[in-house]
Amino acid sequence: GQNIDQPTEMTATEGAIVQINCTYQTSGFNGLFWYQQHAGEAPTFLSYNVLDGLEEKGRFSSFLSRSKGYSYLLLKELQMKDSASYLCAVRDRTGANNLFFGTGTRLTVIP
Amino acid sequence: EAGVTQFPSHSVIEKGQTVTLRCDPISGHDNLYWYRRVMGKEIKFLLHFVKESKQDESGMPNNRFLAERTGGTYSTLKVQPAELEDSGVYFCASRPSGTGNSPLHFGNGTRLTVT
């Protein structure tokens, strides 16, 4: 089976940096995805990691450690529009390579 | 390109009634997925089509749920008869074949309320 954990809620200040952690347990790890979801909208793809290390994409970076079953999403220079839910999802090859999601972290950016 | 579209955006039905949700994937995407999010819980996998074939339907809750993808284009998900616990947001997602670990593209979802 799959077990994916992330904090339920976080609050951060505009202009600051925030790190959203995700831990996972899965038998056939085949990649980790981060999605952003604004209320009432579709989850949108942010980043993908399959090898250990840091992937940087503008203000967003994602890190993966497969040996620790751990990832984080780093958001820099926070903007009000970054207030959203951030979903960690793991692809499991023993689960037919389908995506398995955590419950999501609701981030609130305050002035 | 047009994104994944789902219809309707909202549906309110009574227990025992039937509802059919529709998903139009991105044109050319062979892989189509249905997911569901129940209030307060994680997004959970329901099933996966490759073209018109069901690749994996291990996430379907029970036989009240029927998914089809005739012709390998759009898909429908029918719930019959609906129960209270079927309430939630039903997401459809698609991705192309042969692209390794390409991300899923999601629709905005259908919010189903069973009263």
Side-chain angles (χ1 to χ4, degrees):
Chain A
Q2 301 78 23
N3 190 31
I4 301 162
D5 288 311
Q6 47 182 134
T8 305
E9 293 190 19
M10 298 184 73
T11 302
T13 306
E14 190 176 14
I17 299 174
V18 71
Q19 178 174 311
I20 302 174
N21 296 325
C22 172
T23 58
Y24 64 89
Q25 292 172 308
T26 184
S27 44
F29 179 81
N30 194 22
L32 186 145
F33 295 78
W34 283 95
Y35 282 82
Q36 180 192 61
Q37 185 181 21
H38 286 98
E41 296 182 10
T44 54
F45 169 72
L46 287 178
S47 69
Y48 166 68
N49 296 71
V50 67
L51 299 176
D52 291 350
L54 189 68
E55 294 284 337
E56 297 188 78
K57 195 185 286 188
R59 294 190 299 114
F60 293 3
S61 304
S62 57
F63 172 83
L64 175 68
S65 168
R66 289 171 296 170
S67 62
K68 292 189 169 77
Y70 168 68
S71 172
Y72 66 72
L73 180 70
L74 194 72
L75 292 75
K76 303 176 190 172
E77 302 167 18
L78 279 173
Q79 301 175 10
M80 299 300 289
K81 67 178 182 180
D82 296 330
S83 293
S85 286
Y86 291 86
L87 309 173
C88 173
V90 171
R91 179 163 281 161
D92 187 342
R93 64 170 63 87
T94 66
N97 263 331
N98 292 320
L99 274 190
F100 296 89
F101 285 84
T103 53
T105 299
R106 185 188 301 273
L107 173 67
T108 302
V109 180
I110 57 176
Chain B
E1 63 180 3
V4 177
T5 56
Q6 293 186 243
F7 181 83
S9 57
H10 293 80
S11 180
V12 181
I13 61 171
E14 293 183 353
K15 176 182 170 181
Q17 289 185 321
T18 298
V19 63
T20 300
L21 314 181
R22 173 171 169 142
C23 169
D24 286 78
I26 292 173
S27 178
H29 283 196
D30 289 339
N31 293 278
L32 186 149
Y33 302 78
W34 283 99
Y35 284 82
R36 176 174 75 171
R37 185 168 199 169
V38 172
M39 178 85 74
K41 301 282 184 71
E42 71 274 22
I43 296 175
K44 277 199 170 177
F45 167 78
L46 295 179
L47 89 158
H48 170 207
F49 283 99
V50 177
K51 296 184 181 179
E52 67 276 8
S53 300
K54 290 177 186 172
Q55 183 78 8
D56 180 0
E57 53 184 330
S58 60
M60 294 287 262
N62 50 61
N63 60 9
R64 295 185 294 103
F65 289 74
L66 176 64
E68 294 180 323
R69 194 184 181 195
T70 307
T73 54
Y74 72 90
S75 174
T76 57
L77 179 64
K78 182 192 287 189
V79 185
Q80 179 183 31
E83 298 288 345
L84 297 178
E85 65 263 25
D86 300 333
S87 295
V89 183
Y90 290 76
F91 289 103
C92 176
S94 71
R95 71 179 181 92
S97 288
T99 52
N101 282 315
S102 56
L104 297 185
H105 299 264
F106 282 84
N108 285 343
T110 294
R111 181 175 295 277
L112 175 65
T113 303
V114 183
T115 63

